[in-house]
Amino acid sequence: MSFDPYEFDRSAQNQRSVETLGEYTSRTFLWMVLGLMITFATVIVCWMSGFVFYVVHAHILILIATLVLSFTMTSRIERMSVGSAKAIFIAFSVLFGLTMSVYLLIFDLMSVIWTFLATALYFGVLAAYGHFTHTDLSSLRPILFSGLIFLVGYSILSLFIPGLNALDRIVSVIGIAVFLGYTAYDTQKIRSFYFYYSGYPDMLEKASVFSALNLYLDFLNLFVYLLRFLGNRKSN
């Protein structure tokens, strides 16, 4: 997900920002963690209540609703209110939790737990690199976006060509590499958004939520591809 911050109208009178970069970065990661907590709480509720079996039959509708929210956040972030941005983020986290609950039907619980811990470790290392490195990672964007398009295309084609599933482990490795790269890239973008929107408190807060959503998606997609590569599937 991305939007062009440089289309923002900076002609309006701005205000002096009293929030430091460290505070802004911390708030962004707190929003990401909140989203993950909502998602995993939704997964647990779906699993314990048996609602996950209804999710299986409604996964297309859930996917469409998730994509609509994603598109809305991306295309209207500069025009929507701060409250609307936060509400969309929370709703997105719930919908993604519904989708994630299905993985408990496919993989052993211990595989899910160990993969989550591995994801947290890898994500933390790449996020730290993106935050502290002085190397401009913007040159990675075309490569990462091309990898993302490949992953989306593969996912769509595999629905109609079952034989492609034989390539799943190779594709999973590509997915892991892509979202590790996006983790570093999106973490570095937090700094760019902070300096560009500094002086515009409402826009700065919305950019924080948007960055949190990007990092949230990086984490969960990394988790999914690691699970597909490392996880033990339940026997039929």
Side-chain angles (χ1 to χ4, degrees), residues 9 36 42 51-52 54 75 87 109 117 131 143 157 181 184 201 218 235:
D9 181 10
L36 291 175
T42 303
F51 189 73
V52 62
Y54 295 97
S75 62
L109 180 59
L117 295 175
H131 179 72
I143 299 172
L157 288 176
D218 295 338
S235 57

Side-chain angles (χ1 to χ4, degrees), residues 131-172:
H131 179 72
F132 291 108
T133 185
H134 296 293
T135 303
D136 184 4
L137 301 179
S138 60
S139 60
L140 292 178
R141 181 177 179 179
I143 299 172
L144 295 174
F145 185 72
S146 298
L148 182 61
I149 292 299
F150 168 78
L151 294 171
V152 172
Y154 172 82
S155 298
I156 295 173
L157 288 176
S158 63
L159 295 175
F160 303 99
I161 309 175
L164 287 179
N165 292 331
L167 302 174
D168 193 63
R169 288 183 65 83
I170 297 175
V171 172
S172 294

Side-chain angles (χ1 to χ4, degrees), residues 195-217:
F195 287 116
Y196 189 79
Y197 289 123
S198 184
Y200 300 86
D202 284 355
M203 195 60 229
L204 196 63
E205 191 166 359
K206 288 186 288 184
S208 176
V209 175
F210 182 84
S211 294
L213 182 57
N214 280 334
L215 291 169
Y216 163 93
L217 287 172

Side-chain angles (χ1 to χ4, degrees), residues 188-200:
Q188 189 174 79
K189 279 176 60 179
I190 295 173
R191 186 187 310 148
S192 300
F193 286 164
Y194 172 80
F195 287 116
Y196 189 79
Y197 289 123
S198 184
Y200 300 86

